[in-house]
Each structure stands twice: as C-alpha cells, then as structure tokens.
C-alpha cells in the first residue's frame, strides 16, 4: 500500500519561509517522479515542482522558480519543498503525488499521478 504523508505547512507572513516534507512508503521502485501541487479554494490543482528521484532532476512552475527548491533524501524516502520569499498568492493546500516518471511539461498533469497524500495547508498573510 503506497502512502504519502505531507507535513510542514503552517501560517507565515509574506517574505517568510516554510519547508514541506513528503514521506513515502509502500513501494520499492528505485526511480519515479514525485511532485508537489497546490490547490486554492475554487481553483484547479496546480503543479508547483517535481523531481525525478532516480537522477534528481528538478522541474518548477514559472511562478515559483527562484523561490522554491525541491529536493530528496533517498535514504529516508522523503521529498522536500523549501519555500522562500512566500507571497499571499502561495496560500493553498499543498499535496505531494507520485507518478512513474517525470517529463518536461507532463509532470504538471495532476491526472497522471497515481498516488496522493492528504495535503498540508500553507497560509501566507500580507
């Protein structure tokens, strides 16, 4: 049973930082694609970043480039999202998901992810 568990969300002021974690368990694939998505009320789920766990190649949405960093700790089966210079428009529920592989452009397609965590709320006040 694949499980993804997010943590690290919270409330911060604009300009602040948070680090989200996604702990994965229940599978043994050595290489796959782990993605971070976010969803604000009334909006579609939006791809934020992804990482190809085999080679560590990162992918980012334009809206977060230079502010967010995705990384992984393979020994802990955990993927992180370091979020700096947070803005009020970053406020959303953040989810991690897993799909078989990352590919430029394709990583952003939420429908192609097989597994999702329960989400962690990020709130940024101005």
């Amino acid at each position: 049973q694949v499980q993804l568990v997010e943590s690290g969300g919270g409330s911060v002021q604009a300009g602040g930082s948070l680090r989200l974690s996604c702990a994965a368990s229940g599978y043994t694939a050595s290489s796959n694609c782990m993605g971070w998505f976010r969803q604000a009320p009334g909006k579609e789920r939006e791809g934020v970043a992804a990482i190809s766990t085999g080679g560590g190649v990162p992918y980012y949405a334009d809206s977060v480039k230079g502010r967010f960093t995705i990384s992984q700790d393979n020994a802990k089966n955990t993927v992180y999202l370091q979020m700096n210079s947070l803005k009020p428009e970053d406020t959303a529920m953040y989810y991690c998901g897993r799909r078989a592989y990352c590919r430029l452009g394709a990583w952003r397609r939420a429908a192609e992810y097989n597994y999702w965590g329960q989400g962690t709320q990020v709130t940024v006040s101005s």
Side-chain angles (χ1 to χ4, degrees):
Q1 180 80 6
V2 175
Q3 269 198 316
L4 303 176
V5 180
E6 302 97 333
S7 61
S11 297
V12 296
Q13 289 193 322
S17 298
L18 284 172
R19 188 177 82 154
L20 306 183
S21 299
C22 173
S25 62
Y27 64 91
T28 58
S30 59
S31 177
N32 53 73
C33 181
M34 298 295 294
W36 282 101
F37 285 72
R38 64 188 181 189
Q39 189 165 20
K43 295 190 176 181
E44 291 188 356
R45 192 167 292 195
E46 165 191 37
V48 173
I51 188 165
S52 178
T53 60
V57 178
Y59 301 81
Y60 296 100
D62 287 344
S63 59
V64 305
K65 276 180 185 175
R67 300 189 299 124
F68 292 9
T69 303
I70 190 169
S71 62
Q72 60 181 351
D73 183 334
N74 286 341
K76 295 182 178 179
N77 238 9
T78 299
V79 174
Y80 304 97
L81 186 69
Q82 178 67 43
M83 305 187 297
N84 298 329
S85 302
L86 282 161
K87 304 176 181 180
E89 51 263 44
D90 294 318
T91 295
M93 185 72 80
Y94 282 70
Y95 300 89
C96 71
R98 174 183 166 247
R99 57 175 287 165
Y101 57 89
C102 286
R103 197 172 62 198
L104 189 63
W107 70 267
R108 305 180 69 163
R109 296 174 196 154
E112 296 180 11
Y113 282 73
N114 307 111
Y115 301 97
W116 293 97
Q118 82 290 348
T120 186
Q121 178 67 38
V122 172
T123 302
V124 184
S125 58
S126 56

